[in-house]
Every structure is written in C-alpha cells, then in structure tokens.
Amino acid sequence: MSTTQIQSIQSIDASSFHGDKAKIYSRDANGLLGLAGEDTDSSYPHFLPVWDPNESYGSLTEVEFSDSGLRADPALPNLFSKFNTDLRVKSLTPKFGTEVSGVQLSELTSEGKDELSFFVAKRGVVVFREQDLRDKPIDWLLEYSSHFGRNHIHPTSGAPRGHPEVHLVYRSKTEAAAENTFFKDHVSSVAWHSDVTYEKQPPGTTFLAILDGPESGGDTIFADTQEAYNRLSEKFRQRLHGLEVLHSGVAQADAARNAGGVVRREPVENFHPLIREHPVTKRKALYVNQQFSRYIKGLKREESDAILGFLYDLLAKSADIQVRVSWESGTVVVWDNRRSVHSALVDWSGAGSSRHAFRLTPQAERPYEGAPVGF
C-alpha cells in the first residue's frame, strides 16, 4: 500500500487542530487541547475529548490473558434468563450479528459478563438497545470493561479528562457538511479496520456506546472475517496458513502529529498470523485490515499486495457477510475485534448534529494461528 493510500485511509480519523478547523478547539495555558464554542454544549460534558501534550506512556507490556468466555455456561442462563419476559433476541443475518432488547448490560453479574463474551464470540457483533452505560461514572465503566481484559490506552485519540483508557469518537456539530470537507478529497468514507491491530495484544470483546448522533446516518458497518475465511477454497486456505502480516501504528501517529494533535505513546509495529484462531470458538478467521496491515513477511511486495488486495476486496465487497448497524439513543454495540472488521460511515450533511460515542477496548490474547483444520 502506498503512503498516499495510507494517509487517505487514516485521515478520516485524524482530528485537525489548526487551519480552518481550529476554531472548534481551544488550548489552555498548559497546552491542553479541548473543544470550544458550541461543541462544549453537550448532554455528557464529562465525555468531551481532551488531548494532553504532557501525557505520555511507555510501551505496553504483555499481560496474561484468559478469555472470560471460556468460563461461560453455553446455555447463557445469566445473560438470557428464562424469567426475563422483556427479552427479545433477533439475528441480523443467519451467521453474523444479533440485536437484543430487554437486557441491561450494567446489571450483568460476573457470570453474565462471561456469557456476554461467549455470545459475542459466537455472533461477532451484538446490538443492545436502551442501555444506561452512558449514565454510569467513568471509573465504574472502566472497572466493568476490565472484566474482559486490560483496558487499552489509545496512542492518539481524544479521551475524557483524566481517563485515557476511554477512546472517544467525535465529529463536531459545527463542522461544515462532509461533502465540503472530507469528500473534497475522497469519494468514500469507508475505512475497513479492526481496532489497533498493531498492538502486541489487540482487543477482543469491545464496546461502543452512543452519546449523541444525527437523526439518521452515521451508521457502522461490520464484516465477518470468520465467514470470509470459510468462503475460501481449501487450497487457498492452505497457502495462507503460516503467513504473518506486519501491522503498523506509524501512519496513525504521523497523521495525528501532522494534524497538530498529540501522540501519547510512540507507534509500534507487530507481526501477526494472517489466519487467527479464536480461543473460545476455536474457529479461524482472516486477520488483516487495510488500515493497519502493511505486508506479508517473506513475500515480495507485489506478491504480498496481490494477496492482501484480494482479501481486502473480499471483505469490502461481500455484502452477504456484512451487517449495517444504525444508532439510536442508548444503543451499545459489543463486537469481537478478533473475528470482524468495521467502518464508520460519514453520510449526513450540514452542521447541527455531532456524532459522539465512547469505546471501551479491553485487550485480548496475542494472536495465534492454531493447528490447520481439514487438511
């Protein structure tokens, strides 16, 4: 992938703190960056993003991890109680994606959380409606998500003041229409990725909760990397097994610096297997994404580009392995970053509607391939 391609993919996530967009940000005497003007008028001001140039962290150390789904009762009696008369569970597609109502995530016991991890591993992405997580104290949220792994600190994104473990998604309500900003230089806002795959221990069970959003638009699309693997011929799967791909955070850090933002931690690069086994389901999935994957170790660049390009196209163009999630007030989406890729969509026009959400991103195991199956 060329440098130009990398920058175009990254730019949708990079906040700009200078030039025409600088008016929506302020900087205090200590250099702390925050929002300004109308963007400080929020229903959840404690979730507004700040960027602290004095905040820095060393490299993440590897930690022991055991997926909480391994402790779960497969019958899911604590997640989907037979006594819950309000429970509604609807498959979004036969193999991938589920929508649930009548379950309050904040009320889950430890056993219920184990079953949540198990169910999300099975279904890939699960949409919960009418949730109250956004009303909980941030410290409570971080304790909750730590059940699923160590909370990740993003190297570049805005975070609530004093809580760098919370990743914030924010698009200003005062920015010009997307067609006059992002779409001046791009024809599509789609940027398929799995979160921070450049880390040695990328995330598994992941939470995104909406705080504010447009009346329509701003959906998130997900693709099933497990089913994509299953669609491949046995001979092609044989060729992919044993390959490793470099995942890099360098372009993301460079984009933040070029936009006038901050980098809390120097970028890292790690090789991960192209085929990844899930520790709970034992199913295999493709583990590549166009935003962070760079090349296949041991292949010439043209060979690597041909294979990765085919796999990116498979994920992006196969509508029959995808789901599209719309956001309503109180929606929380829980997905497994180990068996899916996703992209936010910038498709609403005009000022007046921000898109504001918070992500809890527990880290999982270091990716491994496991033994080949079926050949």
Side-chain angles (χ1 to χ4, degrees), residues 63-85:
V63 294
E64 290 187 16
F65 175 82
S66 177
D67 197 290
S68 60
L70 293 170
R71 303 190 295 266
D73 182 341
L76 310 179
N78 300 282
L79 180 63
F80 299 146
S81 170
K82 63 181 180 180
F83 302 109
N84 184 352
T85 58

Side-chain angles (χ1 to χ4, degrees), residues 31-299:
L32 187 74
L33 285 160
L35 300 179
E38 293 180 41
D39 283 292
T40 61
D41 182 18
S42 170
S43 303
Y44 296 89
H46 58 297
F47 276 108
L48 289 175
V50 298
W51 295 261
D52 187 351
N54 301 311
E55 188 177 53
S56 63
Y57 298 91
S59 299
L60 297 178
T61 57
E62 192 166 355
V63 294
E64 290 187 16
F65 175 82
S66 177
D67 197 290
S68 60
L70 293 170
R71 303 190 295 266
D73 182 341
L76 310 179
N78 300 282
L79 180 63
F80 299 146
S81 170
K82 63 181 180 180
F83 302 109
N84 184 352
T85 58
D86 297 324
L87 177 64
R88 300 290 183 273
V89 181
K90 176 185 176 182
S91 294
L92 298 177
T93 74
K95 296 181 180 180
F96 185 62
T98 301
E99 183 166 326
V100 177
S101 59
V103 172
Q104 193 60 253
L105 290 172
S106 66
E107 298 175 1
L108 293 179
T109 62
S110 179
E111 292 80 9
K113 293 174 190 174
D114 293 344
E115 292 169 15
L116 173 65
S117 182
F118 179 89
F119 186 64
V120 173
K122 289 282 189 178
R123 295 299 299 166
V125 54
V126 184
V127 183
F128 291 88
R129 303 295 187 185
E130 299 179 338
Q131 299 297 302
D132 63 3
L133 288 185
R134 61 185 178 177
D135 299 316
K136 298 297 183 182
I138 294 177
D139 286 335
W140 186 96
L141 292 169
L142 292 172
E143 177 65 25
Y144 182 98
S145 58
S146 68
H147 180 90
F148 304 91
R150 178 178 63 185
N151 288 307
H152 178 256
I153 295 178
H154 197 280
T156 66
S157 69
R161 187 185 299 265
H163 296 284
E165 304 92 344
V166 178
H167 171 85
L168 290 176
V169 175
Y170 191 84
R171 182 175 175 84
S172 170
K173 68 177 68 174
T174 61
E175 288 185 49
E179 57 262 35
N180 295 325
T181 54
F182 182 78
F183 291 117
K184 287 178 65 176
D185 300 311
H186 304 276
V187 298
S188 174
S189 63
V190 175
W192 289 105
H193 65 285
S194 179
D195 294 318
V196 298
T197 58
Y198 47 77
E199 300 290 10
K200 185 174 292 185
Q201 291 179 269
T205 307
T206 306
F207 299 75
L208 187 65
I210 195 71
L211 297 167
D212 290 299
E215 184 176 344
S216 65
D219 295 351
T220 304
I221 49 176
F222 293 83
D224 185 354
T225 56
Q226 178 178 288
E227 181 60 18
Y229 170 81
N230 293 337
R231 297 282 179 90
L232 300 174
S233 68
E234 184 173 309
K235 285 188 177 294
F236 195 67
R237 291 200 301 266
Q238 288 179 18
R239 181 65 189 88
L240 298 181
H241 276 280
L243 298 180
E244 292 187 330
V245 177
L246 183 72
H247 295 249
S248 175
V250 172
Q252 186 180 72
D254 288 347
R257 287 191 174 103
N258 292 338
V262 300
V263 176
R264 299 187 187 93
R265 180 163 45 88
E266 287 304 307
V268 297
E269 298 181 318
N270 279 289
F271 282 100
H272 296 311
L274 192 154
I275 305 300
R276 180 176 188 173
E277 181 176 279
H278 197 288
V280 174
T281 66
K282 309 305 180 185
R283 302 289 297 277
K284 297 190 186 298
L286 300 177
Y287 198 61
V288 295
N289 70 92
Q290 197 165 5
Q291 194 159 0
F292 299 123
S293 301
R294 294 295 174 259
Y295 63 84
I296 299 172
K297 181 193 291 187
L299 298 188

